[in-house]
């Protein structure tokens, strides 16, 4: 094409930070008929909002520039931090799950939990799970956060449900036993966690 001999592309972070893509030349594809430039977004300084511009120049030096196009680059999953419960925690009654999730584009990324291989349920701002519906014992608690791009962060920890009260029985002395001198008391006590 005699009118469009050179096509250059600029990509910059919306904040104006450099990206390393300034005036890169696009090449004409014989397959598509378009000028093309392949960009590895993992090589960019980070996730964020970027502005894309292109300019074409013909052999007579006349130029046409495109309007800016906003692009959202998101190569990374959300950051997930679990404040409660902690790995190895002994829990009873209502279980509170406290998490912090951060992502470049999702103001409130989806966050869900599940016990074992059960169904995923949303993490909310209050007690999540009544552990009294579970038998006492060890359980795997999985928490996942996902962003708008479909990236997922998954954390797994072990919790110990202990809703049953400990047992305590007097073994000796027997009820109504006549005692004198030294008294030896024996008790039997059990609990899931000692």
């Amino acid at each position: 094409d005699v009118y469009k001999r050179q096509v250059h592309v600029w990509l910059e972070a919306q904040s104006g930070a450099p990206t390393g893509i300034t005036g890169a030349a696009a090449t004409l594809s014989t397959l598509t008929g378009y000028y093309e430039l392949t960009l590895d977004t993992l090589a960019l300084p980070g996730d964020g909002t970027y502005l894309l511009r292109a300019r074409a120049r013909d052999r007579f030096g006349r130029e046409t520039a495109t309007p800016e196009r906003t692009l959202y680059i998101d190569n990374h999953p959300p950051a997930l931090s679990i404040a409660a419960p902690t790995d190895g925690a002994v829990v009873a009654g209502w279980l509170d799950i406290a998490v912090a999730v951060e992502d470049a584009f999702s103001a409130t990324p989806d966050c869900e939990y599940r016990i074992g291989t059960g169904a995923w349920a949303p993490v909310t701002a209050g007690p999540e799970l009544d552990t009294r519906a579970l038998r006492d014992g060890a359980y795997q608690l999985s928490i996942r956060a996902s962003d708008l791009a479909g990236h997922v962060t998954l954390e797994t920890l072990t919790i110990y449900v202990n809703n049953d009260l400990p047992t305590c029985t007097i073994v000796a002395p027997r009820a109504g036993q006549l005692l004198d001198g030294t008294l030896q008391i024996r008790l039997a006590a059990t609990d899931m966690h000692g």
Side-chain angles (χ1 to χ4, degrees), residues 121-166:
V123 173
T124 60
E128 309 297 337
L129 173 71
D130 186 356
T131 65
R132 293 170 294 193
L134 303 171
R135 295 179 57 135
D136 282 7
Y139 290 88
Q140 185 178 55
L141 172 64
S142 299
I143 301 171
R144 71 179 179 190
S146 55
D147 64 15
L148 295 173
H151 300 116
V152 176
T153 300
L154 176 67
E155 298 286 338
T156 302
L157 48 100
T158 300
I159 59 170
Y160 297 92
V161 173
N162 186 18
N163 284 303
D164 292 337
L165 296 173

Short mmCIF file of all heavy atoms in Angstrom, two decimals, residues 121-166:
data_model
loop_
_atom_site.label_atom_id
_atom_site.label_comp_id
_atom_site.label_asym_id
_atom_site.label_seq_id
_atom_site.Cartn_x
_atom_site.Cartn_y
_atom_site.Cartn_z
N ALA A 121 -18.83 -21.90 49.08
CA ALA A 121 -19.79 -20.92 49.60
C ALA A 121 -19.07 -19.58 49.72
O ALA A 121 -17.86 -19.54 49.99
CB ALA A 121 -20.32 -21.36 50.96
N PRO A 122 -19.78 -18.47 49.53
CA PRO A 122 -19.12 -17.16 49.60
C PRO A 122 -18.68 -16.81 51.02
O PRO A 122 -19.37 -17.12 51.99
CB PRO A 122 -20.18 -16.19 49.11
CG PRO A 122 -21.48 -16.89 49.29
CD PRO A 122 -21.19 -18.37 49.20
N VAL A 123 -17.51 -16.18 51.12
CA VAL A 123 -17.06 -15.63 52.40
C VAL A 123 -17.80 -14.31 52.58
O VAL A 123 -17.81 -13.48 51.68
CB VAL A 123 -15.53 -15.40 52.40
CG1 VAL A 123 -15.10 -14.66 53.66
CG2 VAL A 123 -14.79 -16.71 52.27
N THR A 124 -18.44 -14.15 53.73
CA THR A 124 -19.20 -12.93 54.01
C THR A 124 -18.60 -12.21 55.19
O THR A 124 -17.61 -12.65 55.77
CB THR A 124 -20.68 -13.27 54.28
OG1 THR A 124 -20.73 -14.14 55.43
CG2 THR A 124 -21.32 -13.97 53.10
N ALA A 125 -19.20 -11.12 55.59
CA ALA A 125 -18.68 -10.32 56.70
C ALA A 125 -19.30 -10.75 58.02
O ALA A 125 -19.79 -9.95 58.78
CB ALA A 125 -18.96 -8.85 56.44
N GLY A 126 -19.28 -12.01 58.31
CA GLY A 126 -19.84 -12.50 59.56
C GLY A 126 -19.52 -13.96 59.73
O GLY A 126 -18.75 -14.53 58.97
N PRO A 127 -20.10 -14.59 60.73
CA PRO A 127 -19.86 -16.02 60.89
C PRO A 127 -20.26 -16.78 59.62
O PRO A 127 -21.30 -16.51 59.04
CB PRO A 127 -20.75 -16.41 62.07
CG PRO A 127 -21.01 -15.13 62.80
CD PRO A 127 -21.00 -14.06 61.75
N GLU A 128 -19.41 -17.69 59.21
CA GLU A 128 -19.60 -18.39 57.95
C GLU A 128 -20.27 -19.76 58.10
O GLU A 128 -21.12 -20.12 57.33
CB GLU A 128 -18.25 -18.62 57.25
CG GLU A 128 -17.40 -17.40 57.11
CD GLU A 128 -18.01 -16.32 56.25
OE1 GLU A 128 -18.87 -16.62 55.41
OE2 GLU A 128 -17.64 -15.16 56.43
N LEU A 129 -19.83 -20.49 59.09
CA LEU A 129 -20.18 -21.90 59.15
C LEU A 129 -20.48 -22.32 60.58
O LEU A 129 -19.69 -22.04 61.49
CB LEU A 129 -19.00 -22.72 58.60
CG LEU A 129 -19.07 -24.23 58.72
CD1 LEU A 129 -20.13 -24.78 57.76
CD2 LEU A 129 -17.73 -24.85 58.42
N ASP A 130 -21.59 -23.02 60.77
CA ASP A 130 -21.91 -23.59 62.07
C ASP A 130 -21.22 -24.94 62.15
O ASP A 130 -21.69 -25.93 61.57
CB ASP A 130 -23.42 -23.72 62.23
CG ASP A 130 -23.83 -24.17 63.62
OD1 ASP A 130 -22.93 -24.47 64.44
OD2 ASP A 130 -25.03 -24.25 63.88
N THR A 131 -20.13 -25.01 62.89
CA THR A 131 -19.35 -26.27 62.96
C THR A 131 -20.08 -27.35 63.75
O THR A 131 -19.66 -28.50 63.71
CB THR A 131 -17.97 -26.02 63.61
OG1 THR A 131 -18.14 -25.62 64.97
CG2 THR A 131 -17.18 -24.98 62.84
N ARG A 132 -21.17 -26.98 64.43
CA ARG A 132 -21.93 -28.00 65.16
C ARG A 132 -22.60 -28.98 64.21
O ARG A 132 -23.03 -30.05 64.62
CB ARG A 132 -22.94 -27.33 66.08
CG ARG A 132 -22.27 -26.55 67.22
CD ARG A 132 -23.25 -25.72 67.97
NE ARG A 132 -23.75 -24.67 67.07
CZ ARG A 132 -24.43 -23.62 67.46
NH1 ARG A 132 -24.72 -23.47 68.73
NH2 ARG A 132 -24.84 -22.72 66.60
N ALA A 133 -22.66 -28.63 62.92
CA ALA A 133 -23.22 -29.55 61.92
C ALA A 133 -22.18 -30.58 61.48
O ALA A 133 -22.50 -31.50 60.73
CB ALA A 133 -23.71 -28.76 60.71
N LEU A 134 -20.94 -30.44 61.94
CA LEU A 134 -19.86 -31.37 61.59
C LEU A 134 -19.53 -32.24 62.79
O LEU A 134 -19.68 -31.83 63.94
CB LEU A 134 -18.61 -30.58 61.17
CG LEU A 134 -18.76 -29.61 60.01
CD1 LEU A 134 -17.50 -28.77 59.88
CD2 LEU A 134 -19.05 -30.35 58.73
N ARG A 135 -19.01 -33.42 62.51
CA ARG A 135 -18.51 -34.27 63.59
C ARG A 135 -17.18 -33.70 64.06
O ARG A 135 -16.45 -33.08 63.30
CB ARG A 135 -18.31 -35.69 63.10
CG ARG A 135 -19.60 -36.38 62.70
CD ARG A 135 -19.30 -37.76 62.22
NE ARG A 135 -18.58 -38.48 63.27
CZ ARG A 135 -18.84 -39.71 63.64
NH1 ARG A 135 -19.77 -40.38 63.03
NH2 ARG A 135 -18.16 -40.29 64.58
N ASP A 136 -16.85 -33.91 65.30
CA ASP A 136 -15.55 -33.47 65.79
C ASP A 136 -14.45 -34.19 65.02
O ASP A 136 -14.57 -35.36 64.66
CB ASP A 136 -15.40 -33.78 67.28
CG ASP A 136 -16.14 -32.78 68.15
OD1 ASP A 136 -16.86 -31.93 67.60
OD2 ASP A 136 -15.99 -32.86 69.38
N GLY A 137 -13.40 -33.45 64.72
CA GLY A 137 -12.26 -34.04 64.00
C GLY A 137 -11.55 -33.01 63.15
O GLY A 137 -11.85 -31.81 63.18
N ALA A 138 -10.59 -33.48 62.37
CA ALA A 138 -9.78 -32.61 61.51
C ALA A 138 -10.47 -32.43 60.16
O ALA A 138 -11.00 -33.39 59.59
CB ALA A 138 -8.40 -33.22 61.32
N TYR A 139 -10.43 -31.21 59.66
CA TYR A 139 -11.02 -30.89 58.36
C TYR A 139 -10.08 -30.00 57.57
O TYR A 139 -9.37 -29.17 58.14
CB TYR A 139 -12.36 -30.15 58.52
CG TYR A 139 -13.46 -31.02 59.05
CD1 TYR A 139 -13.65 -31.15 60.42
CD2 TYR A 139 -14.28 -31.74 58.20
CE1 TYR A 139 -14.66 -31.96 60.93
CE2 TYR A 139 -15.29 -32.55 58.69
CZ TYR A 139 -15.47 -32.66 60.05
OH TYR A 139 -16.47 -33.46 60.54
N GLN A 140 -10.13 -30.16 56.24
CA GLN A 140 -9.39 -29.28 55.35
C GLN A 140 -10.30 -28.12 54.99
O GLN A 140 -11.40 -28.30 54.46
CB GLN A 140 -8.96 -30.04 54.10
CG GLN A 140 -8.09 -29.24 53.18
CD GLN A 140 -7.64 -30.06 51.99
OE1 GLN A 140 -8.48 -30.62 51.28
NE2 GLN A 140 -6.34 -30.12 51.78
N LEU A 141 -9.84 -26.90 55.27
CA LEU A 141 -10.58 -25.69 54.91
C LEU A 141 -9.85 -25.04 53.74
O LEU A 141 -8.67 -24.71 53.85
CB LEU A 141 -10.63 -24.72 56.10
CG LEU A 141 -11.20 -23.33 55.81
CD1 LEU A 141 -12.67 -23.41 55.41
CD2 LEU A 141 -11.02 -22.42 57.02
N SER A 142 -10.54 -24.90 52.62
CA SER A 142 -9.96 -24.27 51.43
C SER A 142 -10.63 -22.92 51.23
O SER A 142 -11.85 -22.80 51.35
CB SER A 142 -10.17 -25.14 50.19
OG SER A 142 -9.55 -26.39 50.35
N ILE A 143 -9.82 -21.92 50.92
CA ILE A 143 -10.32 -20.57 50.64
C ILE A 143 -9.72 -20.14 49.32
O ILE A 143 -8.51 -20.28 49.11
CB ILE A 143 -9.94 -19.59 51.76
CG1 ILE A 143 -10.52 -20.08 53.09
CG2 ILE A 143 -10.43 -18.19 51.44
CD1 ILE A 143 -10.05 -19.31 54.29
N ARG A 144 -10.56 -19.66 48.42
CA ARG A 144 -10.07 -19.22 47.12
C ARG A 144 -10.60 -17.82 46.80
O ARG A 144 -11.71 -17.46 47.17
CB ARG A 144 -10.43 -20.20 46.01
CG ARG A 144 -11.89 -20.23 45.65
CD ARG A 144 -12.18 -21.21 44.53
NE ARG A 144 -13.60 -21.24 44.22
CZ ARG A 144 -14.17 -22.12 43.43
NH1 ARG A 144 -13.44 -23.06 42.86
NH2 ARG A 144 -15.46 -22.08 43.19
N ALA A 145 -9.76 -17.06 46.10
CA ALA A 145 -10.14 -15.73 45.62
C ALA A 145 -9.94 -15.72 44.12
O ALA A 145 -8.95 -16.25 43.62
CB ALA A 145 -9.28 -14.66 46.29
N SER A 146 -10.89 -15.14 43.39
CA SER A 146 -10.77 -15.07 41.93
C SER A 146 -11.04 -13.64 41.47
O SER A 146 -11.82 -12.91 42.08
CB SER A 146 -11.73 -16.06 41.27
OG SER A 146 -13.05 -15.83 41.69
N ASP A 147 -10.37 -13.27 40.38
CA ASP A 147 -10.54 -11.91 39.86
C ASP A 147 -11.32 -11.93 38.55
O ASP A 147 -11.73 -12.99 38.07
CB ASP A 147 -9.19 -11.21 39.71
CG ASP A 147 -8.27 -11.86 38.69
OD1 ASP A 147 -8.74 -12.68 37.87
OD2 ASP A 147 -7.07 -11.54 38.69
N LEU A 148 -11.52 -10.76 37.97
CA LEU A 148 -12.32 -10.64 36.75
C LEU A 148 -11.69 -11.34 35.56
O LEU A 148 -12.38 -11.73 34.62
CB LEU A 148 -12.53 -9.16 36.42
CG LEU A 148 -13.36 -8.37 37.44
CD1 LEU A 148 -13.35 -6.88 37.10
CD2 LEU A 148 -14.77 -8.91 37.50
N ALA A 149 -10.37 -11.52 35.58
CA ALA A 149 -9.67 -12.19 34.48
C ALA A 149 -9.72 -13.71 34.63
O ALA A 149 -9.24 -14.42 33.76
CB ALA A 149 -8.22 -11.72 34.41
N GLY A 150 -10.27 -14.20 35.73
CA GLY A 150 -10.36 -15.64 35.94
C GLY A 150 -9.18 -16.23 36.68
O GLY A 150 -9.09 -17.44 36.85
N HIS A 151 -8.24 -15.40 37.15
CA HIS A 151 -7.12 -15.91 37.93
C HIS A 151 -7.62 -16.30 39.32
O HIS A 151 -8.47 -15.61 39.89
CB HIS A 151 -6.03 -14.85 38.07
CG HIS A 151 -5.47 -14.40 36.76
ND1 HIS A 151 -5.60 -13.13 36.32
CD2 HIS A 151 -4.79 -15.07 35.80
CE1 HIS A 151 -5.02 -13.00 35.15
NE2 HIS A 151 -4.54 -14.18 34.80
N VAL A 152 -7.05 -17.37 39.86
CA VAL A 152 -7.50 -17.88 41.16
C VAL A 152 -6.30 -18.08 42.08
O VAL A 152 -5.27 -18.60 41.67
CB VAL A 152 -8.25 -19.23 40.99
CG1 VAL A 152 -8.63 -19.81 42.35
CG2 VAL A 152 -9.48 -19.05 40.12
N THR A 153 -6.47 -17.66 43.33
CA THR A 153 -5.51 -17.95 44.40
C THR A 153 -6.22 -18.88 45.37
O THR A 153 -7.33 -18.60 45.80
CB THR A 153 -5.07 -16.66 45.11
OG1 THR A 153 -4.45 -15.80 44.17
CG2 THR A 153 -4.09 -16.97 46.23
N LEU A 154 -5.57 -19.98 45.71
CA LEU A 154 -6.16 -20.98 46.59
C LEU A 154 -5.24 -21.21 47.78
O LEU A 154 -4.05 -21.43 47.61
CB LEU A 154 -6.39 -22.29 45.84
CG LEU A 154 -6.91 -23.48 46.64
CD1 LEU A 154 -8.34 -23.23 47.11
CD2 LEU A 154 -6.85 -24.75 45.82
N GLU A 155 -5.80 -21.14 48.98
CA GLU A 155 -5.07 -21.44 50.21
C GLU A 155 -5.83 -22.55 50.94
O GLU A 155 -7.05 -22.54 50.98
CB GLU A 155 -4.98 -20.21 51.12
CG GLU A 155 -4.23 -19.04 50.52
CD GLU A 155 -2.73 -19.24 50.50
OE1 GLU A 155 -2.22 -20.07 51.27
OE2 GLU A 155 -2.07 -18.58 49.69
N THR A 156 -5.07 -23.47 51.51
CA THR A 156 -5.69 -24.59 52.23
C THR A 156 -5.04 -24.71 53.60
O THR A 156 -3.82 -24.60 53.72
CB THR A 156 -5.50 -25.90 51.44
OG1 THR A 156 -6.10 -25.74 50.14
CG2 THR A 156 -6.18 -27.06 52.13
N LEU A 157 -5.87 -24.92 54.61
CA LEU A 157 -5.35 -25.12 55.96
C LEU A 157 -6.19 -26.18 56.67
O LEU A 157 -7.24 -26.56 56.18
CB LEU A 157 -5.34 -23.80 56.73
CG LEU A 157 -6.60 -22.95 56.71
CD1 LEU A 157 -7.39 -23.14 57.97
CD2 LEU A 157 -6.18 -21.50 56.59
N THR A 158 -5.67 -26.64 57.79
CA THR A 158 -6.37 -27.67 58.57
C THR A 158 -6.96 -27.03 59.81
O THR A 158 -6.29 -26.25 60.50
CB THR A 158 -5.40 -28.80 58.97
OG1 THR A 158 -4.87 -29.39 57.78
CG2 THR A 158 -6.11 -29.87 59.78
N ILE A 159 -8.23 -27.34 60.06
CA ILE A 159 -8.88 -26.90 61.31
C ILE A 159 -9.35 -28.15 62.04
O ILE A 159 -9.58 -29.20 61.44
CB ILE A 159 -10.06 -25.95 61.05
CG1 ILE A 159 -11.13 -26.62 60.17
CG2 ILE A 159 -9.59 -24.62 60.47
CD1 ILE A 159 -12.44 -25.83 60.08
N TYR A 160 -9.47 -28.02 63.35
CA TYR A 160 -9.95 -29.12 64.19
C TYR A 160 -11.25 -28.69 64.84
O TYR A 160 -11.27 -27.75 65.64
CB TYR A 160 -8.90 -29.49 65.24
CG TYR A 160 -7.63 -29.99 64.63
CD1 TYR A 160 -6.58 -29.11 64.34
CD2 TYR A 160 -7.48 -31.33 64.30
CE1 TYR A 160 -5.42 -29.56 63.74
CE2 TYR A 160 -6.32 -31.79 63.70
CZ TYR A 160 -5.29 -30.90 63.42
OH TYR A 160 -4.14 -31.35 62.83
N VAL A 161 -12.33 -29.36 64.47
CA VAL A 161 -13.64 -29.07 65.05
C VAL A 161 -13.74 -29.82 66.37
O VAL A 161 -13.48 -31.03 66.45
CB VAL A 161 -14.78 -29.49 64.09
CG1 VAL A 161 -16.13 -29.33 64.76
CG2 VAL A 161 -14.70 -28.67 62.81
N ASN A 162 -14.10 -29.09 67.44
CA ASN A 162 -14.22 -29.69 68.76
C ASN A 162 -15.42 -29.07 69.47
O ASN A 162 -15.27 -28.16 70.28
CB ASN A 162 -12.93 -29.48 69.57
CG ASN A 162 -12.96 -30.21 70.90
OD1 ASN A 162 -13.76 -31.11 71.11
ND2 ASN A 162 -12.10 -29.81 71.81
N ASN A 163 -16.60 -29.57 69.16
CA ASN A 163 -17.83 -29.07 69.77
C ASN A 163 -18.27 -29.90 70.98
O ASN A 163 -19.01 -29.41 71.82
CB ASN A 163 -18.97 -29.05 68.75
CG ASN A 163 -18.82 -27.90 67.78
OD1 ASN A 163 -18.76 -26.75 68.20
ND2 ASN A 163 -18.72 -28.19 66.50
N ASP A 164 -17.84 -31.16 71.03
CA ASP A 164 -18.24 -32.01 72.15
C ASP A 164 -17.50 -31.59 73.41
O ASP A 164 -16.30 -31.32 73.38
CB ASP A 164 -17.95 -33.49 71.85
CG ASP A 164 -18.83 -34.03 70.73
OD1 ASP A 164 -19.91 -33.46 70.50
OD2 ASP A 164 -18.41 -35.01 70.08
N LEU A 165 -18.24 -31.55 74.52
CA LEU A 165 -17.62 -31.20 75.79
C LEU A 165 -16.71 -32.33 76.26
O LEU A 165 -16.94 -33.50 75.94
CB LEU A 165 -18.70 -30.94 76.85
CG LEU A 165 -19.62 -29.76 76.58
CD1 LEU A 165 -20.74 -29.71 77.60
CD2 LEU A 165 -18.81 -28.47 76.59
N PRO A 166 -15.68 -32.00 77.01
CA PRO A 166 -14.86 -33.07 77.56
C PRO A 166 -15.69 -33.89 78.56
O PRO A 166 -16.66 -33.40 79.13
CB PRO A 166 -13.72 -32.34 78.27
CG PRO A 166 -14.19 -30.95 78.48
CD PRO A 166 -15.23 -30.69 77.43
#
